[in-house]
Amino acid sequence: MTGSRAPACDVLVRLVTCGSVDDGKSTLIGRLLYDAGAVPEDQLLALGDDPDLSRLVDGLSAEREQGITIDVAYRYFDLGDRRFILADAPGHEQYTRNMVTAASGADVAVVLIDARNGILTQTRRHSRLLALMGVRRLVLAVNKMDLVDWSPDRFDEIRADFRGFAAELGLDDVTAIPISARHGVNIATRSDQAAWYQGPTLMDWLRAIRLDAAATGPLRMMVQGTIRPHADFRGAAGWIADGEVRPGQAVHILPSGVAATVDRIVTRDGDLETAGRHQAVTLALIPDVDVSRGDLIVAADRQPGVADQFEAHLVWMSYRPLLPGRSYWLKLGTTTLPAQVSDIRHRINVDTGEHQAARTLELNDIGYCVVAVTTPIAFEPYMTSRSLGGFILIDRMTEETVGAGMITRALHRSANVRPQALHVSRDQRAALKRQKPMVLWFTGLSGAGKSTIANRVEQALLDQGLHTVLLDGDNLRHGLNRDLGFTDADRVENIRRVTEVARLMTEAGLIVLVSFISPFRAERQMARERMAPGEFIEIFVDVPLAVAEQRDTKGLYAKARAGQLPHFTGIDSPYEAPESPDLHIDTTTCSPEAASSRILALVQSRQDG
């Protein structure tokens, strides 16, 4: 067996395999690769007379030592006119995110079950994840049938149990096959031991797969950029996620809703009369409307939804928990924009399907959430289109991919709530006060001197005849934010609310002084972005922790050290110091008077600028 490939493959099939630990998944994959001729000669020689085909798959030494698969491994093999990309998903619960990664692009799945054990918790977990990720076509491979004497009754029992459970998840395309991966029975060849089974072997089933037609829906083209090689031509370059396009076709550009007509379909090899799913093309439009990266070109008569709030299943993939209200990058297709998880409806117990209350999501948790983006985006439900319904969340500070989401529907309020046009502008309000609105954001540890300095600065601004307001952390926790505690999630929501209040006050033309610990860089960056350009001034009031504790007139640090005040910044909750503040004040060397003078000088320069 030399691993030679078929000369041509017309169909690409993405296959994911999953199963509980010790169900024999690695052996099954090794057998598939072996029987498909996809094992290189050197690996066969290394295998020698060892019948353990799992050695062809588990290449990581850590996996060998522990006897488990801990990452997603991709293998490739051909069967007739089909080329398969096989994703080997890990079985352990702690690698749920890896399983989701493997299933996210799969067309079909093989769910492996040990005939001796039947359906286990991990079987149910993996099946729920497959349903969540939109994998609807399954093979139930009942393995190790040789260890139950090829009992047809045992096979029928497992098949009935699984189909009943799968039906609850909406998985109704399930083919059950009794196999012995170790001995290769019903993988590629049959055996008299299982003469009672008249269905397909696993490889017969794979050869017979029929995927959906190439063009299954209306036109959906993701715009990747604009091409303008000369003054007489401008085209929208992108990738067709679904449908077909032809010259003369009426289209709309989303999210703007601008109407246009396709004039030409341009490629490097010349114009086309039609283009379809998964092709990369450039469209010349009439009229020459504004199109940019992140836009979606769609059929005019069948348009997807456009919204700035939607509900989605979210798989959390980071060791740092999800914090509702925090700003993340959301990437959907070619669109990338700021987004927040504004609410967690519930967390899903993947083992039981139970819905549980949650204020955050931890690594490998799955939640049903409300996601809000800063501007409306075009989308479709994930079950309709993976390309337009699946997104990832990216941490804006670390650029780590922290979550994978599947949109279910838009919130009705996103369609019903529209900005109201106002007759009086923020510039008019500011002109009436003869000042430029701005936000002075004081951040630092408790006891650093933020409130002392902010009070002095406000008094000095008032003496100059300027209109101000001071938002202090302790004061707002007696009113607007009295329902919030001091967990990381509550701190994020605390700053989100304060940011919105500060923004509204700049709309009124005020100079807003904000004195909050605001321990996280992400929220301070979010606050900066919510203000008009140049209006946000971050002032880092810096002091060593030891000095802050010495100044502790309220006794808060002492309580935190004694365990009476949990989640206290600097003790058991982190403070992320600004990396490049607009003004850095070290209060161990700078007096409140000197600090105030520096801030007033900066404010004056902004007012005069």
Side-chain angles (χ1 to χ4, degrees):
M1 201 79 57
T2 62
S4 61
R5 290 189 178 275
C9 294
D10 301 325
V11 180
L12 177 64
V13 181
R14 294 174 174 84
L15 170 68
V16 61
T17 59
C18 49
S20 299
V21 176
D22 296 329
D23 278 354
K25 181 160 57 70
S26 294
T27 301
L28 171 63
I29 295 171
R31 175 65 65 177
L32 267 175
L33 298 175
Y34 184 86
D35 288 347
V39 181
E41 190 68 37
D42 59 338
Q43 282 189 268
L44 287 176
L45 292 174
L47 195 63
D49 296 329
D50 187 346
D52 184 6
L53 294 177
S54 68
R55 295 182 60 208
L56 298 174
V57 179
D58 286 341
L60 297 177
S61 59
E63 294 176 349
R64 293 273 188 83
E65 292 167 4
Q66 299 178 52
I68 61 172
T69 302
I70 62 175
D71 204 349
V72 179
Y74 292 91
R75 314 290 171 173
Y76 307 87
F77 64 94
D78 298 340
L79 293 176
D81 64 345
R82 285 159 174 71
R83 173 157 295 170
F84 289 83
I85 301 177
L86 187 153
D88 178 13
H92 280 253
E93 178 181 4
Q94 61 264 41
Y95 303 116
T96 296
R97 60 177 177 172
N98 306 71
M99 167 66 190
V100 167
T101 300
S104 62
D107 303 304
V108 295
V110 175
V111 177
L112 201 65
I113 288 181
D114 188 325
R116 299 169 299 175
N117 301 327
I119 298 176
L120 300 176
T121 298
Q122 282 176 288
T123 312
R124 296 179 184 275
R125 180 186 309 120
H126 289 160
S127 300
R128 290 186 190 280
L129 291 172
L130 290 172
L132 182 66
M133 302 307 297
V135 183
R136 288 287 180 267
R137 190 172 301 168
L138 274 62
V139 168
L140 178 66
V142 183
N143 193 26
K144 303 186 181 181
M145 284 295 296
D146 52 308
L147 301 182
V148 295
D149 298 325
W150 288 97
S151 168
D153 292 339
R154 180 57 176 159
F155 173 72
D156 290 341
E157 178 187 1
I158 294 173
R159 176 173 56 182
D161 287 348
F162 184 83
R163 283 182 171 172
F165 166 68
E168 298 174 6
L169 305 176
L171 302 173
D172 52 10
D173 189 347
V174 179
T175 300
I177 304 176
I179 67 169
S180 170
R182 181 176 180 82
H183 300 291
V185 178
N186 285 339
I187 307 299
T189 60
R190 299 181 182 274
S191 170
D192 292 340
Q193 295 172 299
W196 47 267
Y197 172 71
Q198 300 299 311
T201 65
L202 179 56
M203 295 183 78
D204 287 341
W205 187 88
L206 292 173
R207 287 190 186 95
I209 287 175
R210 291 290 180 266
L211 299 181
D212 297 334
T216 58
L219 173 64
R220 304 287 188 257
M221 176 173 159
M222 299 179 178
V223 177
Q224 296 174 320
T226 301
I227 294 178
R228 191 160 195 170
H230 49 76
D232 297 328
F233 179 86
R234 185 170 75 163
W239 180 77
I240 300 176
D242 210 348
E244 292 183 343
V245 61
R246 293 179 174 82
Q249 183 173 351
V251 297
H252 278 194
I253 316 301
L254 299 181
S256 67
V258 173
T261 301
V262 177
D263 181 32
R264 298 169 55 196
I265 304 173
V266 181
T267 72
R268 182 177 180 179
D269 298 323
D271 286 10
L272 302 178
E273 290 301 316
T274 183
R277 191 179 187 186
H278 297 170
Q279 282 186 266
V281 297
T282 297
L283 300 184
L285 302 175
I286 303 174
D288 185 14
V289 297
D290 183 27
V291 183
S292 60
R293 180 177 177 82
D295 285 342
L296 193 68
I297 300 178
V298 304
D301 57 343
R302 295 179 63 186
Q303 299 186 39
V306 175
D308 60 4
Q309 296 183 73
F310 44 81
E311 292 181 329
H313 288 101
L314 182 64
V315 181
W316 197 247
M317 308 172 76
S318 173
Y319 287 96
R320 299 200 296 178
L322 164 68
L323 298 178
R326 169 162 288 183
S327 180
Y328 298 94
W329 288 119
L330 181 145
K331 182 173 177 56
L332 191 160
T334 56
T335 301
T336 302
L337 73 170
Q340 298 175 342
V341 175
S342 57
D343 185 32
I344 300 175
R345 301 289 202 213
H346 55 257
R347 180 173 54 215
I348 300 172
N349 185 319
V350 186
D351 296 338
T352 65
E354 177 188 5
H355 293 176
Q356 302 169 332
R359 298 193 67 182
T360 186
L361 297 179
E362 303 286 346
L363 175 65
N364 290 321
D365 278 349
I366 298 176
Y368 192 61
C369 306
V370 176
V371 179
V373 290
T374 52
T375 57
I377 58 173
F379 74 95
E380 287 187 304
Y382 183 79
M383 291 306 172
T384 301
S385 170
R386 288 181 174 179
S387 299
L388 295 179
F391 63 88
I392 60 172
L393 292 181
I394 301 169
D395 188 291
R396 300 185 62 176
M397 297 293 108
T398 66
E399 298 186 351
E400 171 195 9
T401 298
V402 294
M406 291 71 67
I407 298 174
T408 58
R409 68 183 186 94
L411 291 184
H412 292 303
R413 64 173 177 260
S414 67
N416 297 331
V417 178
R418 291 287 185 270
Q420 175 64 44
L422 303 178
H423 294 296
V424 179
S425 70
R426 72 193 314 271
D427 290 340
Q428 289 174 308
R429 300 187 192 103
L432 186 64
K433 297 177 175 63
R434 294 186 175 89
Q435 65 184 37
K436 293 180 180 179
M438 63 178 58
V439 174
L440 307 180
W441 193 284
F442 296 81
T443 176
L445 292 171
S446 177
K450 299 183 300 299
S451 296
T452 299
I453 297 172
N455 271 305
R456 283 181 172 273
V457 171
E458 186 182 31
Q459 182 64 58
L461 292 173
L462 184 65
D463 293 343
Q464 296 175 17
L466 297 174
H467 300 260
T468 66
V469 65
L470 173 56
L471 304 178
D472 185 83
D474 285 349
N475 293 344
L476 263 68
R477 282 189 177 275
H478 285 288
L480 176 66
N481 295 340
R482 68 186 303 172
D483 60 318
L484 298 176
F486 293 90
T487 65
D488 287 354
D490 282 340
R491 289 181 185 277
V492 169
E493 176 60 15
N494 187 38
I495 298 305
R496 188 195 69 80
R497 294 181 189 179
V498 172
T499 298
E500 292 303 316
V501 171
R503 186 184 66 82
L504 289 172
M505 289 183 170
T506 60
E507 291 287 330
L510 296 173
I511 297 174
V512 187
L513 297 87
V514 178
S515 178
F516 277 71
I517 294 174
S518 47
F520 303 129
R521 295 189 189 103
E523 278 58 65
R524 298 194 299 267
Q525 179 64 25
M526 178 267 295
R528 182 185 293 273
E529 292 172 356
R530 289 294 287 155
M531 308 307 163
E535 287 187 358
F536 186 91
I537 299 176
E538 184 180 43
I539 304 167
F540 179 26
V541 184
D542 190 10
V543 67
L545 177 60
V547 175
E549 291 196 59
Q550 292 173 4
R551 299 175 178 175
D552 188 15
T553 58
K554 301 177 183 178
L556 300 179
Y557 282 99
K559 289 182 179 180
R561 293 290 188 188
Q564 300 172 8
L565 195 59
H567 309 296
F568 193 78
T569 302
I571 304 301
D572 56 358
S573 186
Y575 178 78
E576 299 173 358
E579 295 178 332
S580 54
D582 296 286
L583 194 60
H584 185 180
I585 297 174
D586 183 350
T587 58
T588 62
T589 59
C590 184
S591 67
E593 296 79 5
S596 299
S597 297
R598 291 177 61 190
I599 295 169
L600 290 169
L602 179 58
V603 171
Q604 190 62 52
S605 68
R606 296 287 180 96
Q607 291 291 314
D608 295 340

